[in-house]
Amino acid sequence: MRLQGKRAIVTGGGSGFGEGIATRFAAEGAQVIIADINMDNARKVAGETGAHALHADVADPASVTNLVAEANDLMGGIDILVNNAGITHLPALMEDVSEADFDRVFAVNCKSVYLMARALVPQLKAQGSGAILNVASTAGVSPRPKLNWYNASKGWMNTATKAMAVELAPSGIRVNALNPVAGETPLLASFMGEDTPEMRAKFLATIPLGRFSTPRDLANAALFLCSDEADMITGTCLEVDGGRCI
């Protein structure tokens, strides 16, 4: 029960890494809001964990404001925010990615972090505590070809994490990030372009431990960084990558 008494929002909590994190947080005693644009997924996970499901488009300012207000109403406050929601574009030469795809990637992967901070940070400052965890990617540390603008969005997220950590530390708010390698999530096929044994073997060949990351891997790391056990850790971008970035 390492999060007993804590209240958490997990964006993109209806599937993939977010589902793993939300499920583990609930099992460790936290009240959890599963915020997702896909309410079928969110309700399914909420039903399995005892969490609350709320609709949220993290790229939309009004939706984010409403999410924070509803979360406060349901839980009586917020202690932890996990910015997990994210998308990618299909593998392509950088000049061939459409402007619409570029804008959507940066809206969901980057602008959402700003919008959530704008909506929640004043509250965390007022209470003098809080933990924010951004789910970035090894793509932001060691970019893969043909995922250029996704790579850049996750590099932005790592820099934003460190900038947030420095600014918010005097207010008692910790900010960290996770950099997972490609995982068994709904985004895997998008990263690879096509989900075939050959493409999986190509990706796995870049991971020294020889497997994809799993929601459980990310949940374990997220639990530590958002718990009081990590109360001296801020500004860390932790690679959960089986050694890919070595």
Side-chain angles (χ1 to χ4, degrees):
M1 305 300 282
R2 293 153 74 185
L3 296 181
Q4 185 70 45
K6 302 292 187 181
R7 301 155 298 185
I9 296 175
V10 181
T11 69
S15 63
F17 294 147
E19 178 181 357
I21 292 168
T23 300
R24 186 64 184 278
F25 280 17
E28 292 285 343
Q31 292 186 68
V32 179
I33 297 291
I34 296 169
D36 207 293
I37 201 166
N38 185 322
M39 283 304 291
D40 289 338
N41 287 351
R43 290 191 187 99
K44 176 179 178 294
V45 178
E48 294 168 350
T49 62
H52 305 283
L54 291 178
H55 178 269
D57 178 351
V58 294
D60 177 71
S63 183
V64 167
T65 298
N66 187 60
L67 168 63
V68 171
E70 286 192 85
N72 276 306
D73 287 343
L74 285 168
M75 301 190 296
I78 299 163
D79 304 294
I80 298 168
L81 167 63
V82 180
N83 285 311
N84 167 76
I87 61 169
T88 185
H89 55 79
L90 292 174
L93 296 174
M94 65 178 71
E95 65 270 28
D96 291 338
V97 175
S98 71
E99 186 173 353
D101 282 348
F102 175 92
D103 287 344
R104 185 62 178 160
V105 165
F106 274 80
V108 175
N109 294 359
C110 303
K111 187 178 182 180
S112 63
V113 177
Y114 156 73
L115 292 175
M116 290 299 303
R118 187 176 70 172
L120 182 58
V121 161
Q123 175 179 334
L124 298 181
K125 283 182 174 180
Q127 69 193 34
S129 65
I132 298 173
L133 182 67
N134 298 322
V135 180
S137 170
T138 53
V141 180
S142 179
R144 292 183 187 271
K146 296 187 178 180
L147 288 172
N148 194 78
W149 307 117
Y150 172 78
N151 297 334
S153 74
K154 292 303 187 177
W156 180 98
M157 205 171 201
N158 283 323
T159 300
T161 296
K162 292 179 181 293
M164 293 168 72
V166 170
E167 183 169 329
L168 296 179
S171 299
I173 303 164
R174 299 186 300 106
V175 188
N176 293 293
L178 296 177
N179 283 314
V181 73
E184 295 283 3
T185 75
L187 282 183
L188 181 59
S190 297
F191 290 133
M192 296 189 298
E194 55 179 347
D195 192 351
T196 64
E198 293 75 20
M199 287 302 297
R200 282 182 171 244
K202 181 179 178 181
F203 267 66
L204 286 172
T206 68
I207 305 171
L209 284 183
R211 68 172 178 84
F212 292 115
S213 60
T214 67
R216 178 179 176 275
D217 295 324
L218 272 292
N220 288 338
L223 173 62
F224 170 65
L225 287 175
C226 291
S227 75
D228 291 340
E229 295 171 15
D231 61 8
M232 189 56 177
I233 299 176
T234 195
T236 290
C237 299
L238 179 64
E239 292 155 14
V240 186
D241 68 346
R244 187 176 97 76
C245 290
I246 296 172

